Amino acid sequence: MEQVQLLIDGTFVDGEDHRWIEVLDPSSEEVIGRAAEASPGDVDRAVEAAHRTFPTWSQTPPSARAAVLRKAAALASSRLDELARLLTLEQGKPLKEAKGEIRASIDALEYYAEEARRIYGETIPTDQANRRSIVIRQPVGPVAAIGPWNYPVLLLCWKVAPALAAGCTMVAKPPSVTPLAVTRFLACLIEAGLPAGALNVVLGPGRTVGERLVRHPLIRKIGFTGETRTGETIMKAAAEGMKRISLELGGHCPLLVFPDADVEAAAKAAAYRAFRNMGQICNAVNRIYVHRALHDRFVEAMVEETRRLRIGRGIDDLDLGPMTTREGLEKTMDHIEEARAKGARVVYGGHRPAGASFEKGYFLVPAVLVNVDHSMKVTREETFGPVAPVMTFDTFEEAIGLANDTPYGLVAYVFTNDLKTALLAAERLEAGTVGINNVAGGEVPFPYGGWKESGLGVELSHHGLEEYLLLKHIRIEFK
Ligand code: NAD
């Protein structure tokens, strides 16, 4: 039985109420571990520790902050297999994907270790001969970092790494569904020599522990990834005390296939990005628009690609594992049924896989749907499951209009070999990221942020570091 505790002021402790959260293996529905649940008093103590440590950590020289991040990255690398196994067990993703997530999290620590030494200021010319103006960047203060269960280690690292590099102290709240690997990963920072109190970890439900954390008056900034509705709640809470926020929220990402595209390559990419991690990704392909002339070829190729995907326990390391939660599975089945009732045709999947090994667990065969329209939930709400609805278009304008017909604006994908189509589509699509002839995910050197209801602010790159810094103008006058 795996177990993680809270981390408060440099010490791992049980919650003061001695309550525990059970952690399930989604491929067997069996309890595999538990996590200590924080009380309101535990949250307060964690925030107070972050507040107390802020003067020390923020004044630690950048190279020393960088050294801690680098050492933590080395420790996590030495534990890669163990961390990945734990992540697979609690989240369900295949082992190679879990390893990829841990490696990307290590990359975030290393990248922001480098950036810690590049927090530059500026000088601005003045009209007065006896004045000088300099602008410096300083850490915003104690940060609350809150993440979801689909990439629990990576998405917290995308906050922890820049915040600590900037000189902020923190209280992190991993998700209750998948608290194990991320808490063990964060422990590497403590072992690497982070001062006690600079990074605290509290665990527990969003509505109690999360709310207490974001409403705490000593928190100066909230970094959050999760659902759009939760993001709205957090934004309202942050208004009290005027806390800074960056919000990475839901998505409903379109993929457009123009008449000149390589249709097989587009179908292969679409199947990968729609179904990877069982569609439980903010940048999953959620709606596919194919030029009418290519529709049948595309659907045939997409079904072929989907048929090839092997499903099994994450630990068996095939292509797809189970979904992470029963609620997620039920929501996905409901979206498929609603679309079917409104006239969509399920050309592949959408049912539980057959066989004794799938009697337990949240398994689902990925679904490809045709005859879809924008009245259906699969095109309007974030399914967060392995469903790929395919629709058609006739003109460029129609394709752009359909793609932008959503309150979300996270990522859009375009397949075309025509330079003009590629550039004009990239400019017209309402999204923080546009992929042309690729479906690559977020990578640490490049800014990643949502437009419209997909978020506020950016993560990753040097822009992501700015989210944890405040500008200060220092005006100097002399005689
Ligand atoms: P969620 O919003 O339910 O929960 C996210 C985190 O917030 C959890 O740790 C939860 O405990 C906490 N929380 C919930 N209510 C809270 C509150 N009132 N105050 C403070 N904290 C609270 O999201 P989820 O189901 O864990 O994750 C899936 C969602 O995350 C999807 O919508 C997905 O698109 C989104 N997501 C976005 C990105 C991105 O970069 N834009 C990346 C991954 C996932």
Side-chain angles (χ1 to χ4, degrees):
M1 181 93 141
E2 302 287 347
Q3 176 174 305
V4 290
Q5 291 172 293
L6 312 175
L7 170 60
I8 300 177
D9 208 7
T11 309
F12 284 96
V13 290
D14 292 351
E16 65 173 355
D17 294 343
H18 299 284
R19 289 159 66 104
W20 295 87
I21 305 157
E22 284 191 339
V23 183
L24 296 185
D25 171 352
S27 62
S28 66
E29 302 175 49
E30 276 165 20
V31 177
I32 48 146
R34 62 178 198 166
E37 182 174 325
S39 69
D42 293 322
V43 176
D44 292 351
R45 271 189 293 285
V47 176
E48 284 153 18
H51 175 71
R52 227 177 13 254
T53 320
F54 182 70
T56 316
W57 182 245
S58 59
Q59 288 167 46
T60 299
S63 57
R65 297 203 299 266
V68 172
L69 291 178
R70 273 199 305 271
K71 189 160 178 204
L75 280 168
S77 295
S78 71
R79 293 170 196 170
L80 186 119
D81 288 344
E82 171 198 337
L83 291 166
R85 192 183 148 273
L86 205 48
L87 178 56
T88 285
L89 280 178
E90 62 183 338
Q91 204 275 347
K93 66 183 67 181
L95 206 48
K96 53 182 167 295
E97 301 246 341
K99 283 184 187 162
E101 177 172 346
I102 303 294
R103 275 193 208 102
S105 307
I106 292 167
D107 191 30
L109 294 180
E110 286 170 348
Y111 178 90
Y112 284 107
E114 293 161 10
E115 286 299 304
R117 299 203 291 171
R118 298 188 193 118
I119 300 172
Y120 303 142
E122 50 189 314
T123 61
I124 299 179
T126 66
D127 286 341
Q128 288 85 9
N130 64 336
R131 279 194 187 166
R132 298 291 182 271
S133 271
I134 59 173
V135 178
I136 61 169
R137 288 180 160 77
Q138 292 187 299
V140 59
V143 170
I146 299 179
W149 49 259
N150 60 336
Y151 283 83
V153 185
L154 185 63
L155 296 172
L156 264 186
C157 275
W158 284 3
K159 298 159 186 56
V160 169
L164 292 176
C168 295
T169 54
M170 322 189 64
V171 180
K173 195 198 88 62
S176 302
V177 179
T178 55
L180 302 176
V182 55
T183 304
R184 293 266 170 86
F185 186 101
L186 294 177
C188 295
L189 282 151
I190 306 304
E191 276 182 60
L194 200 63
L199 172 66
N200 304 271
V201 179
V202 293
L203 299 154
R207 256 179 249 106
T208 53
V209 174
E211 282 253 10
R212 181 90 180 185
L213 178 58
V214 298
R215 288 188 179 278
H216 199 292
L218 293 177
I219 290 292
R220 292 305 325 144
K221 150 99 196 181
I222 302 158
F224 171 79
T225 300
E227 284 187 25
T228 294
R229 297 290 85 85
T230 316
E232 286 173 351
T233 307
I234 286 177
M235 195 168 174
K236 283 178 194 150
E240 217 173 288
M242 211 51 74
K243 297 180 172 91
R244 265 62 186 165
I245 46 173
S246 30
L247 306 173
E248 298 292 339
L249 308 176
H252 212 291
C253 310
L255 181 141
L256 309 181
V257 185
F258 284 98
D260 59 285
D262 177 340
V263 85
E264 275 73 31
K268 189 171 182 177
Y272 172 77
R273 188 42 82 198
F275 304 140
R276 183 173 180 227
N277 204 26
M278 289 301 276
Q280 303 167 125
I281 315 193
C282 54
N283 62 356
V285 166
N286 303 110
R287 291 170 291 136
I288 301 171
Y289 303 98
V290 186
H291 188 269
R292 194 176 299 280
L294 300 182
H295 177 265
D296 293 355
R297 259 177 73 202
F298 179 90
V299 171
E300 199 182 313
M302 174 105 189
V303 167
E304 211 34 60
E305 289 295 335
T306 309
R307 203 189 301 279
R308 271 200 210 122
L309 297 170
R310 297 160 307 158
I311 304 172
R313 296 180 310 165
I315 218 77
D316 297 332
D317 211 9
L318 302 177
D319 300 308
L320 300 174
M323 295 191 69
T324 307
T325 66
R326 176 176 294 285
E327 298 76 50
L329 174 65
E330 284 168 358
K331 182 179 178 191
T332 305
M333 304 278 275
D334 168 63
H335 278 203
I336 295 170
E337 275 322 305
E338 193 251 11
R340 208 198 300 257
K342 285 186 169 166
R345 199 155 55 83
V346 182
V347 289
Y348 187 79
H351 51 79
R352 305 291 304 271
S357 48
F358 299 116
E359 270 163 23
K360 287 268 183 185
Y362 312 134
F363 293 98
L364 182 66
V365 180
V368 181
L369 273 55
V370 299
N371 287 349
V372 176
D373 65 51
H374 277 203
S375 72
M376 300 171 187
K377 284 186 195 171
V378 282
T379 62
R380 307 218 69 81
E381 294 177 24
E382 194 183 30
T383 306
F384 224 56
V387 181
V390 185
M391 292 161 274
T392 56
F393 67 86
D394 291 302
T395 66
F396 177 85
E397 286 303 324
E398 188 190 359
I400 299 295
L402 287 165
N404 287 339
D405 179 24
T406 171
Y408 295 105
L410 193 60
V411 182
Y413 306 99
V414 177
F415 279 78
T416 176
N417 285 309
D418 179 69
L419 186 58
K420 181 178 166 194
T421 306
L423 281 175
L424 293 184
E427 286 170 7
R428 295 275 303 279
L429 287 165
E430 295 163 356
T433 300
V434 177
I436 309 282
N437 296 327
N438 75 85
V439 289
E443 294 172 286
V444 74
F446 315 110
Y448 187 63
W451 288 21
K452 296 157 78 178
E453 292 185 25
S454 287
L456 210 62
V458 289
E459 286 197 310
L460 307 184
S461 78
H462 64 95
H463 298 286
L465 188 63
E466 295 290 333
E467 301 272 341
Y468 295 92
L469 295 165
L470 292 176
L471 288 180
K472 182 182 278 174
H473 171 209
I474 304 172
R475 188 188 280 121
I476 307 161
E477 188 167 305
F478 47 85
K479 290 267 183 267

